[in-house]
Amino acid sequence: MDAINLGRRIQGAIYGAGVYGRTPVVPVEPGRLREAARKAMSDRAFAYVDGSAGRGRTDDANVEAFGRYRAVPRMPRDVRERDLGVDLFGRRYAHPLLLAPIGVLEMAHTQAERAVAKASVATQTPMIHSTQASVAMEEVAAELGETPHWYQLYWSNDDDLARSLVQRAEACGAEAVVVTLDTHLMGWRPEDLDLGHLPFARGQGLAQYLSDPVFMARVEERAARGSARPTERPTPAAARSLVSIARHYPGDLRENLRSPLPRAAVETFLDVFPSSGLTWDDLAKLREWTSLPILLKGLQSVDDVRLAADQGLDGIVVSNHGGRQVDGAVASLDVLASLGDEVGDLTVLFDSGVRSGSDVFTALALGADAVILGRPYVYGLALAGAEGVQAVVEHTLAELDLTMALTGHASVAEIHRGALAR
């Protein structure tokens, strides 16, 4: 995808399609996109993707924070050609957008990460594999080919498993490891709780685990010890869950329904899900496990950012998990704006609350080197698979491109804090 003058090309294509009575593959306006996805997804799927912690105050704060900043257009400047390219860890990327690691994408579309990978290739947008993916990273990497990709780690309380996941990611061509720190426990998410729904308990989103030799060895050990099974007759809902677990486990469905292994796999996952005991000292182990750049995701404190810089980490992702973990937390954009010189040589990425290309522009102006897009691309996935993800990415980049042109910026490198007024 040619990132130069992208906005004019995408805008022209949409207007041109309108001449012939066609509308965009997915809605361009963020609110309409979300509502269209709500209608396309099951109640459980939409609750999982769209839901936030508590009363949703952190999610609201993330979005509202962008309204506190206004672009300051500069005229006249030569912006006939714009360059959206950025440099991250020694590689030149076509533009400053990455696709967030979002788990259980099979709930939005049957093709899950396979569809996202196709859109990633089409738009030259790096995707970040989730530890809670629906498709194993090796399969997705094969789909991506030469398109860059990263890996997001939920650090298990089993170090052997964590090391195995990281080393698999490096072996399949991932170019960085993003350690998510803010999800060592599940936040209080009323939408999911009202439905009594946890996808992992149904065997969903476990593809990275079920393709990992260390994890599968743990499953076999657990099954050999025996698993506590309910003595009462299972309810219809429980029976459906058991079928779902068996369907997601490798092998023949009929054999899996008779085997103790699928159930043992879910129980093992629930035992090893990220450790609440992780400390700064543990992070040093990653340097022994991989040579890839290491970023910490979920930092919301300037003191923690300073520690990351002091300990020689390669980068950070300023994020509060899209408001999904702590209700009433500080908006991620406010944290980004407060960092100043505390980042040192760290590469700074940003997510949480990004809904448009103008939001990307604001985050770049406040110090982000690149921006991670989350929920919007999942809405596109739910509506139109790979084509929907591609459309959302292209719309976002087109608006960024036009915003740059209309504010007098010919390249991302020219965007700085002076481009905004508060």
Side-chain angles (χ1 to χ4, degrees):
M1 182 188 66
D2 182 4
I4 295 177
N5 300 336
L6 175 68
R8 180 182 298 173
R9 179 164 64 82
I10 298 297
Q11 191 179 58
I14 294 175
Y15 286 146
V19 171
Y20 300 100
R22 296 193 298 272
T23 57
V25 174
V26 298
V28 176
E29 197 279 319
R32 288 188 61 221
L33 173 65
R34 177 178 179 271
E35 288 309 308
R38 179 196 293 271
K39 296 175 183 177
M41 301 170 74
S42 70
D43 290 344
R44 284 181 168 181
F46 188 78
Y48 181 78
V49 171
D50 192 75
S52 301
R55 293 165 58 190
R57 290 175 294 187
T58 304
D59 187 22
D60 290 343
N62 284 335
V63 175
E64 292 165 0
F66 285 94
R68 291 196 284 274
Y69 297 90
R70 297 288 187 268
V72 181
R74 299 297 303 276
M75 310 285 176
R77 293 184 176 180
D78 184 356
V79 290
R80 287 173 293 182
E81 292 188 350
R82 279 87 63 195
D83 179 9
L84 273 62
V86 295
D87 295 305
L88 301 173
F89 305 119
R91 176 193 268 268
R92 183 72 173 176
Y93 290 78
H95 53 75
L97 205 62
L98 293 89
L99 297 177
I102 296 179
V104 207
L105 288 178
E106 64 193 270
M107 296 183 67
H109 194 276
T110 55
Q111 286 296 300
E113 284 83 5
R114 299 181 190 91
V116 178
K118 291 176 181 176
S120 175
V121 172
T123 60
Q124 300 176 42
T125 307
M127 67 179 290
I128 307 175
H129 304 279
S130 171
T131 296
Q132 303 308 140
S134 297
V135 182
M137 66 181 89
E138 290 84 358
E139 184 176 340
V140 180
E143 188 81 42
L144 288 165
E146 297 301 316
T147 303
H149 51 103
W150 297 6
Y151 176 70
Q152 171 264 340
L153 174 69
Y154 281 132
W155 196 306
S156 168
N157 58 31
D158 182 334
D159 277 359
D160 290 338
L161 174 57
R163 180 173 61 247
S164 179
L165 290 167
V166 169
Q167 292 178 345
R168 283 174 58 201
E170 184 166 7
C172 73
E175 298 185 5
V177 174
V178 180
V179 185
T180 298
L181 300 176
D182 60 5
T183 315
H184 54 88
L185 295 170
M186 298 288 286
W188 185 257
R189 302 176 187 173
E191 289 89 347
D192 290 330
L193 292 167
D194 281 343
L195 296 170
H197 178 239
L198 180 66
F200 316 118
R202 296 171 57 88
Q204 297 176 305
L206 302 185
Q208 309 294 24
Y209 299 89
L210 297 177
S211 56
D212 191 273
V214 173
F215 181 81
M216 295 303 279
R218 302 289 189 265
V219 170
E220 291 180 1
E221 292 167 4
R222 186 185 193 97
R225 293 196 303 269
S227 174
R229 292 180 177 272
T231 56
E232 67 274 13
R233 184 180 180 86
T235 64
R240 288 193 293 271
S241 292
L242 290 172
V243 171
S244 176
I245 292 168
R247 182 176 291 116
H248 284 83
Y249 196 81
D252 179 75
L253 174 60
R254 288 173 297 181
E255 291 296 324
N256 288 344
L257 287 170
R258 292 190 289 265
S259 170
L261 292 173
R263 182 186 175 99
V266 169
E267 293 171 346
T268 302
F269 165 76
L270 295 174
D271 281 347
V272 303
F273 188 72
S275 171
S276 294
L278 194 69
T279 68
W280 288 97
D281 291 338
D282 293 309
L283 294 173
K285 300 174 187 176
L286 264 182
R287 290 297 186 195
E288 302 173 6
W289 298 349
T290 181
S291 60
L292 296 176
I294 299 169
L295 300 90
L296 302 184
K297 180 175 182 289
L299 299 188
Q300 291 280 276
S301 160
V302 174
D303 290 336
D304 287 341
V305 172
R306 188 182 300 114
L307 283 169
D310 290 345
Q311 296 208 12
L313 276 301
D314 301 293
I316 60 170
V317 181
V318 178
S319 167
N320 56 32
H321 219 86
R324 290 167 61 77
Q325 286 298 94
V326 178
D327 189 28
V330 60
S332 281
L333 195 72
D334 290 337
V335 176
L336 178 68
S338 70
L339 292 184
D341 296 332
E342 300 297 336
V343 299
D345 295 328
L346 291 170
T347 294
V348 178
L349 275 70
F350 174 84
D351 80 13
S352 298
V354 177
R355 298 293 182 267
S356 66
S358 61
D359 290 346
V360 176
F361 178 89
T362 299
L364 294 171
L366 290 176
D369 296 301
V371 174
I372 300 175
L373 187 67
R375 287 185 177 102
Y377 90 75
V378 185
Y379 300 150
L381 176 67
L383 287 169
E387 192 177 4
V389 178
Q390 180 176 341
V392 169
V393 172
E394 288 183 343
H395 297 167
T396 304
L397 291 173
E399 186 182 6
L400 171 62
D401 176 45
L402 290 171
T403 302
M404 288 170 55
L406 294 169
T407 57
H409 298 86
S411 70
V412 170
E414 295 177 3
I415 303 173
H416 53 79
R417 204 179 189 101
L420 301 176
R422 176 155 177 148

